[in-house]
Amino acid sequence: MSFTTKANVLQMNETFISDVGSSYHFLFVGNYNHKRKIVNYSNNITHTFENFEETKTFLTKATTKSLPDIIIIDLPLNFFELNAFKQWINKNILATIPIIYNEGALNRLEIRNLFHLKLIDDVIKNVYDLELLGYKSNFFKSLNSQSFADTGKIKSRGKSLTSFLR
């Protein structure tokens, strides 16, 4: 059985904090031409696309190393398009890419439904704050690596428990 100890949490936080300042790859979906220009600083890479179809075209051509750390969506909610996009990612992309939605594009009920249906990973107010997105990226990387490690432990433990019961 795997327990998260205080030492494990501190180690995850140290990794999380030490990675901040690294370069990130952000993918923005929305009409960013009329909004405040997204500023690249440090070695961050940003790509902007106006819709999900353009985004899928880009992701289809991406290599494992060129996949974005986070996908940020700033579009009025179209549930069917977002659902189709999420299903496409789950089917075609072999990596977990967190999806963050701009809070200003959603109402409370939409936010609750999107979390309930697991179509998004987070909602933030300022989708233009690349430093905040860097923190979010590190958080999701730590969370995904911890989940992956725990999943492996659960599977291996489940096998040994099954053999023990036989």
Side-chain angles (χ1 to χ4, degrees), residues 50-110:
E50 290 192 21
N51 56 52
F52 292 120
E53 290 306 313
E54 289 178 4
T55 306
K56 286 194 263 185
T57 301
F58 172 81
L59 291 172
T60 301
K61 297 175 186 176
T63 64
T64 305
K65 291 182 179 180
S66 66
L67 286 173
D69 294 309
I70 294 178
I71 297 173
I72 302 100
I73 302 173
D74 188 10
L75 293 170
L77 179 62
N78 180 324
F79 172 80
F80 296 106
E81 285 183 8
L82 179 61
N83 188 41
F85 179 69
K86 179 72 172 190
Q87 287 180 4
W88 183 88
I89 285 179
N90 291 341
K91 181 179 178 185
N92 295 290
I93 306 297
L94 299 177
T96 302
I97 305 173
I99 296 177
I100 296 177
Y101 222 103
N102 180 7
E103 181 182 6
L106 302 170
N107 64 44
R108 284 183 175 179
L109 181 60
E110 290 170 333

Side-chain angles (χ1 to χ4, degrees), residues 94-125:
L94 299 177
T96 302
I97 305 173
I99 296 177
I100 296 177
Y101 222 103
N102 180 7
E103 181 182 6
L106 302 170
N107 64 44
R108 284 183 175 179
L109 181 60
E110 290 170 333
I111 292 170
R112 191 170 23 165
N113 287 337
L114 291 176
F115 276 120
H116 177 73
L117 296 169
K118 298 181 182 176
L119 292 177
I120 59 173
D121 297 290
D122 203 359
V123 175
I124 61 174
K125 281 185 179 185

Side-chain angles (χ1 to χ4, degrees), residues 7-58:
N8 289 349
V9 171
L10 289 175
Q11 183 180 5
M12 278 178 46
N13 286 342
E14 286 174 12
T15 303
F16 175 74
I17 291 168
S18 68
D19 286 344
V20 174
S22 302
S23 62
Y24 303 100
H25 183 178
F26 303 122
L27 193 150
F28 292 87
V29 183
N31 186 358
Y32 290 91
N33 295 331
H34 70 282
K35 297 184 180 179
R36 185 168 66 101
K37 187 175 181 178
I38 298 168
V39 178
N40 286 335
Y41 59 89
S42 301
N43 296 319
N44 294 323
I45 301 168
T46 60
H47 288 93
T48 59
F49 301 100
E50 290 192 21
N51 56 52
F52 292 120
E53 290 306 313
E54 289 178 4
T55 306
K56 286 194 263 185
T57 301
F58 172 81

